[in-house]
Amino acid sequence: MSMHEIESLVELSVYCLHESQDDSLDRRSLFYSLYDLQSQFDTGFTHFRVMDLLIQHHFVYTFPITAHPAYTQHQAFFDTLAATQKFSFIYTQPEAEWDEETNPVAGYANYDHQQQTYILYCDAGSSLWEGMVANGTLQGADAVAPEKTDVFTLALCIAKAAAQQQNKDLLNSWYLLLPFMVMAAEQEGEPIDYKALETILDLVVANDAIFEEGLPPADELPEGGELGKFCAWWYAPAKDKMKSTAELDGDIDLEAIPFTQQVDKSAAWYDNEVRTLLESINHSITFMEDNGYNEDIQKSVEGRLRMGLEYAQKGIELAPNEPGMLVNKGSLYLLQQSYPEALACYDKALAMAPDNTFVHLNRAILFYHMEDMPQAIASFEKVLQLEPGNEFAQQWLTHLKNNG
C-alpha cells in the first residue's frame, strides 16, 4: 500500500468510528492507536483532515500558546513562533533541535485563520498532554491516558463498524493492509490474533469487499511456514481476482486499442492514463515557457488535452463517485483555459469530499487564474486549515495577501 493509501485508511477509519452507533466504543483510545499505527509509516501529518472529530472525542486538546507548561521559561521563543502564524511541531525541549530519541515531538501549534488565534494542540497520551495533566490543566477523564490497542483488535473494531455502514472501500483497505501487519508481527515475535483476523475476513467476504486493484501477484505470495499458511488462507477468497506476475507484465496494451473494440478498461486504467497525460502536458507547457512558443508542441498539447478529457469522462462513467477523477478532469479543463467547466468539475468533487485538501488546492489555483482573489485566498486558507504543513498553500497565501 502507498503512503497516501495509509493516510486515507486512517482518515476513513476516524470517520467510520465517529459514525458508529456503538456507544461502548472507546473512540479516544482507538484514535490513539490509529495514529500510532500511522506513525509506523512514512506518511504526512494528517490530523487536521479530521481535527473537529479528534477534538470532539477528546483525543486532541487545544489551548492558547501561553498555556504551554514551559511558556514562562521560553516566552520569547513561543511569542516569536506565534508571530509567524505558521504551523510548527513543538518538541519536548522547545528550543532544541529535534531528535527522535532525545527530543521528540510533544505537540504542535497552528494559526487558526477563523479565530485569528495561534493555538497549541496536544494529543492524548503525548508528552505535552502529560505536562498538562501534571500541572492540573487537564483533569478527570481527560487526565486518563488512552489505552493502546493492538492492530488486530483495532482492525476488528473498525471492520465491524465498516460492515454495519456497508463501507466496502474501508473494509478493502484493511484487507490489503493486514497481511503486512501479520508479517511485521511475525518478524518481531509479537502475538497475532487469528480469531480477530478470521472475523475480519468473514466481514470482508460477506460484504464483497475484495477488489482486484491492489492485490499482490498470486505467484509472489510467501510459501511455507506460518506466514505462507496465513497468506494461502487470507487470499483464498481473492483467488479468482489475483493475477500472476507474468499476466500483470503481459497485460494488453489498452492504449493502442481503439475504443470501438470490445476491451475491458477499468476506471483505474483511465485514471492512470489521465494522470500520465497531465504530467506530460505540464512538462510541454513548462518547456514552452522556458524556451518560447512552438506551434508543433502546442498542437500536441491540444491533442493530448482532448484525449485526456475523453479518457477522464470514460473513467468517471465507470466510477462516478470517485472525486479524484473529477479533479483530474477539472485540471485538464484548467489547462485548456475552460474555467467554468473546470470549476464545475471541482465543485462536484468538493461535494463528494468536502475535506479533501487536493480539491481545495486545485480550486484555489483555478480561482487565481480566474482572477477571483477572494475565493482563491479562502480556498488556500481552507487547505491550511486541513493541512497546516502545506508549504505550497502557505507560500501562495502569503503572496496573494501581500500583493492585494
Side-chain angles (χ1 to χ4, degrees):
M1 295 183 72
S2 69
M3 297 304 99
H4 171 70
E5 289 169 328
I6 297 294
E7 292 174 357
S8 294
L9 177 147
V10 172
E11 178 183 353
L12 292 175
S13 294
V14 169
Y15 279 118
C16 181
L17 291 170
H18 169 70
E19 293 169 4
S20 172
Q21 301 300 309
D22 186 353
D23 293 334
S24 68
L25 290 177
D26 181 1
R27 291 172 175 81
R28 182 170 176 261
S29 292
L30 292 172
F31 292 166
Y32 174 81
S33 298
L34 265 174
Y35 285 104
D36 180 72
L37 171 65
Q38 181 172 322
S39 70
Q40 299 174 34
F41 300 89
D42 187 21
T43 65
F45 184 74
T46 61
H47 282 40
F48 283 89
R49 297 182 185 180
V50 288
M51 183 56 77
D52 290 347
L53 300 184
L54 301 182
I55 293 173
Q56 178 180 335
H57 294 289
H58 295 245
F59 172 66
V60 172
Y61 299 90
T62 63
F63 309 93
I65 194 69
T66 54
H68 191 286
Y71 176 78
T72 302
Q73 300 95 304
H74 303 276
Q75 182 174 350
F77 168 80
F78 283 117
D79 289 348
T80 300
L81 190 63
T84 68
Q85 299 186 357
K86 292 183 178 180
F87 173 83
S88 178
F89 288 112
I90 306 296
Y91 307 136
T92 303
Q93 303 170 52
E95 298 189 59
E97 290 187 4
W98 172 83
D99 185 278
E100 186 175 3
E101 298 296 330
T102 61
N103 194 30
V105 172
Y108 44 103
N110 189 43
Y111 185 75
D112 188 307
H113 290 275
Q114 292 182 338
Q115 299 181 28
Q116 297 188 343
T117 304
Y118 199 64
I119 296 176
L120 176 68
Y121 297 81
C122 74
D123 297 352
S126 66
S127 57
L128 179 54
W129 170 86
E130 291 174 350
M132 293 295 195
V133 171
N135 68 14
T137 301
L138 291 173
Q139 300 180 0
D142 291 325
V144 177
E147 296 182 8
K148 175 77 177 293
T149 304
D150 70 88
V151 67
F152 305 111
T153 303
L154 173 67
L156 178 58
C157 289
I158 296 169
K160 287 180 177 179
Q164 291 173 350
Q165 298 165 26
Q166 298 182 329
N167 191 334
K168 292 185 179 183
D169 290 336
L170 185 54
L171 283 168
N172 177 255
S173 294
W174 279 100
Y175 177 74
L176 296 176
L177 174 66
L178 283 168
F180 294 98
M181 306 316 300
V182 169
M183 185 183 302
E186 185 177 74
Q187 291 174 346
E188 296 296 327
E190 298 175 352
I192 300 172
D193 190 341
Y194 286 103
K195 186 175 181 180
L197 288 167
E198 182 177 347
T199 302
I200 293 169
L201 185 58
D202 288 343
L203 290 170
V204 169
V205 172
N207 285 272
D208 192 24
I210 299 177
F211 311 143
E212 182 177 321
E213 289 83 2
L215 290 171
D219 54 346
E220 290 189 4
L221 297 180
E223 296 182 358
E226 291 301 315
L227 185 59
K229 291 179 183 178
F230 166 79
C231 287
W233 166 70
W234 186 257
Y235 289 113
K239 186 177 181 180
D240 294 340
K241 294 182 173 70
M242 298 175 75
K243 296 182 179 181
S244 67
T245 304
E247 287 174 322
L248 291 171
D249 292 341
D251 274 349
I252 299 173
D253 182 7
L254 296 179
E255 186 177 10
I257 300 176
F259 288 120
T260 53
Q261 295 190 27
Q262 297 300 312
V263 179
D264 181 23
K265 300 182 180 74
S266 68
W269 183 85
Y270 286 116
D271 185 51
N272 183 67
E273 291 300 307
V274 170
R275 291 173 186 271
T276 301
L277 285 166
L278 277 168
E279 183 177 355
S280 69
I281 291 167
N282 278 304
H283 177 78
S284 296
I285 291 173
T286 300
F287 179 86
M288 286 193 290
E289 289 174 346
D290 294 339
N291 299 278
Y293 177 84
N294 182 292
E295 185 175 355
D296 291 333
I297 293 177
Q298 181 60 33
K299 287 182 178 179
S300 173
V301 166
E302 292 170 359
R304 280 176 283 164
L305 281 170
R306 289 192 295 271
M307 179 183 292
L309 287 168
E310 184 177 0
Y311 280 15
Q313 182 56 38
K314 289 182 178 293
I316 291 169
E317 290 171 0
L318 290 170
N321 296 319
E322 174 52 56
M325 294 187 180
L326 282 163
V327 171
N328 289 336
K329 186 179 180 182
S331 297
L332 289 164
Y333 275 130
L334 172 60
L335 292 172
Q336 200 180 56
Q337 297 185 11
S338 300
Y339 298 147
E341 292 83 355
L343 182 58
C345 289
Y346 291 157
D347 285 347
K348 287 181 181 178
L350 187 65
M352 295 179 189
D355 292 328
N356 187 300
T357 55
F358 188 59
V359 178
H360 288 286
L361 192 62
N362 278 273
R363 290 179 85 248
I365 294 169
L366 173 61
F367 286 130
Y368 172 78
H369 284 282
M370 295 173 69
E371 298 184 357
D372 187 343
M373 298 311 158
Q375 287 278 35
I377 289 172
S379 294
F380 278 124
E381 287 179 340
K382 183 62 176 180
V383 171
L384 291 171
Q385 179 185 340
L386 295 168
E387 190 176 318
N390 193 308
E391 294 184 4
F392 179 84
Q394 184 62 61
Q395 291 171 358
W396 264 96
L397 188 60
T398 301
H399 170 75
L400 292 176
K401 289 185 174 181
N402 289 343
N403 291 274

